[in-house]
Amino acid sequence: MRAVIQRVLRASVRVSDELISSIDRGLCVLIGIANDDDQTDIDYIVRKLLTIRLWPSMDGTKNWNRNVVDLDSSLLCISQFTLHATLKGTKPDYHLSMSGEQSKILYEKLLNQLKQSYKTDKIFDGQFGAMMAVNIENDGPVTIILDSRSKKSGATADNE
């Protein structure tokens, strides 16, 4: 499972000019689900999303000191199967992405686990499977890419 995490001042998602979700300061997270992802990948991504320290301390003396929970901020999650694309020449190939029906189940589990682990009213999402217009005002900019496979392969330099 991949997550592209963007620290934002605000973010929103629209489908056909209809506002689906919007947040103020928090994280906008693009989620890509691979064909072999399971509950352990969800656990890893949820834990990291809620604990990654992307904001400075309250007094500004320490960088990378507070997380989204510390700030009581929101998360806007958007399913994006293209995060697992590979290229065949110049054409994208999505064989590493989980099928739509299966990935929807895992994506909804991820959202539910975020809500249970944090606060239901702080977790927002787009519209699964739709063509969406995602607007962000990146804060920093700060963009972090997480891949649960790095955890599976034994790369634990991130002090899980």
Side-chain angles (χ1 to χ4, degrees):
M1 188 172 292
R2 289 191 179 138
V4 176
I5 305 165
Q6 299 177 349
R7 186 178 78 181
V8 298
L9 295 174
R10 62 193 52 83
S12 64
V13 62
R14 293 181 174 274
V15 174
S16 302
D17 290 328
E18 177 187 345
L19 181 64
I20 303 299
S21 294
S22 66
I23 64 169
D24 288 321
R25 181 170 70 167
L27 299 175
C28 181
V29 185
L30 307 176
I31 301 288
I33 301 173
N35 54 24
D36 62 349
D37 284 342
D38 58 26
Q39 185 61 47
T40 61
D41 299 284
I42 292 171
D43 294 343
Y44 177 83
I45 296 295
V46 166
R47 185 175 73 252
K48 292 296 184 182
L49 289 178
L50 296 178
T51 60
I52 189 169
R53 296 178 298 168
L54 298 179
W55 285 272
S57 60
M58 196 78 116
D59 62 8
T61 60
K62 296 179 185 172
N63 289 323
W64 317 114
N65 186 260
R66 295 182 297 158
N67 59 46
V68 70
V69 174
D70 296 334
L71 296 172
D72 197 36
S73 292
S74 299
L75 290 92
L76 173 57
C77 296
I78 299 160
S79 175
Q80 188 173 351
F81 74 94
T82 61
L83 290 181
H84 287 285
T86 58
L87 291 179
K88 288 188 174 181
T90 58
K91 182 179 176 186
D93 179 85
Y94 303 107
H95 74 278
L96 297 177
S97 298
M98 188 175 280
S99 70
E101 191 173 302
Q102 289 178 303
S103 64
K104 184 175 183 178
I105 292 167
L106 251 62
Y107 179 69
E108 288 174 355
K109 284 183 179 181
L110 174 105
L111 292 174
N112 288 332
Q113 191 164 326
L114 279 167
K115 289 174 183 178
Q116 290 171 0
S117 300
Y118 184 32
K119 295 179 178 178
T120 301
D121 65 336
K122 297 290 185 178
I123 307 300
F124 298 87
D125 72 311
Q127 184 176 322
F128 188 90
M131 288 294 291
M132 294 174 270
V134 179
N135 294 299
I136 67 163
E137 187 174 338
N138 204 319
D139 180 18
V142 174
T143 302
I144 305 291
I145 300 171
L146 281 182
D147 192 329
S148 61
R149 291 171 192 257
S150 65
K151 170 212 41 122
K152 286 181 177 178
S153 68
T156 56
D158 60 352
N159 297 321
E160 295 180 52

